Amino acid sequence: MSGPDFIPAPVRARLKDLRLAGRRTAGGHGFGQHPSRSRGAGLEFAQYRAYEPGDELRQIDWKLYARSDRFFVREAERDSPLTAWVVVDCTASMAQGDAARPGWSRLEAARALAACVFELALRQGDRFGLAAVGGDGLRLVPPGAGPRQRDRCLLELQGLRAHGDWPAETALRPLWERIAAGHLVLVLSDDFDEGTVQLCERLAAARREVLNLQILTAEERDFPFRGGHRFRDAETGAETLSDGASAREGFLAAFAQARRALSARLAASGIRHTAHVLDEALDAPLRRLLAASPAERA
């Protein structure tokens, strides 16, 4: 491939049993691995109907004609490709990493997770696109299919930088024009910006199928700090001096409550949600999000 490869070999090997699928998959014309409600020549038999002028002769069921002396055409469910979007948060807080994995930030994890989704879509013959939202506003790679589209998306991922704030709603207008009803949208973010959560809710309300994957650091999960520390907000620059040990219990309780509130809020909009911690295997959160049943996603 000509583009960069963000997927470690062991993770790539484990992707083979994962599948992108939407509950409201609409699909387009073409062949993929998702059943569509449109009728025509396909792979799965749907029904018979009476022959009409203009129908292809190869669609006539000649055995049924021999029994009934009437022409009937076999109709099938078309297999239609899914259109999947990956939305990557590129605001300043996505640059954060931690000591559990030096040199590995939220944005690095988002790049790799996005690459995994593109690989799944490529294997399934689906269409996929990329949207990056951050200090530069909105950057788009419109949906397409095939290896060249995969490489375009990977090259765009390579150029992303985490900086700035979540842009104004008007800057996201092209995203609304591109993402159609029935499209599958995976949002990769730390979900710390209210604008990110509102985007997920608005897309879901507009009949887009939304998956939300929150990217967290191991230090946010464990708060392993001891002694005096200076904590700095990556986006506002605000700093707080605190003793790590004395602040730990309060931080973990508040952080857990915030995560529960976010999960409940997203669930109320029908949005599937899970979290990925930077020291976790990349395919683990994808398995939870893409599992067929709620029990498997737990």
Side-chain angles (χ1 to χ4, degrees), residues 250-274:
F251 172 85
L252 291 178
F255 197 66
Q257 174 59 33
R259 290 184 63 187
R260 287 192 295 269
L262 175 66
S263 296
R265 181 176 171 181
L266 293 173
S269 294
I271 297 168
R272 282 185 274 172
H273 165 75
T274 193

Side-chain angles (χ1 to χ4, degrees), residues 237-248:
E239 295 185 345
T240 302
L241 291 174
S242 178
D243 176 72
S246 63
R248 184 174 189 272

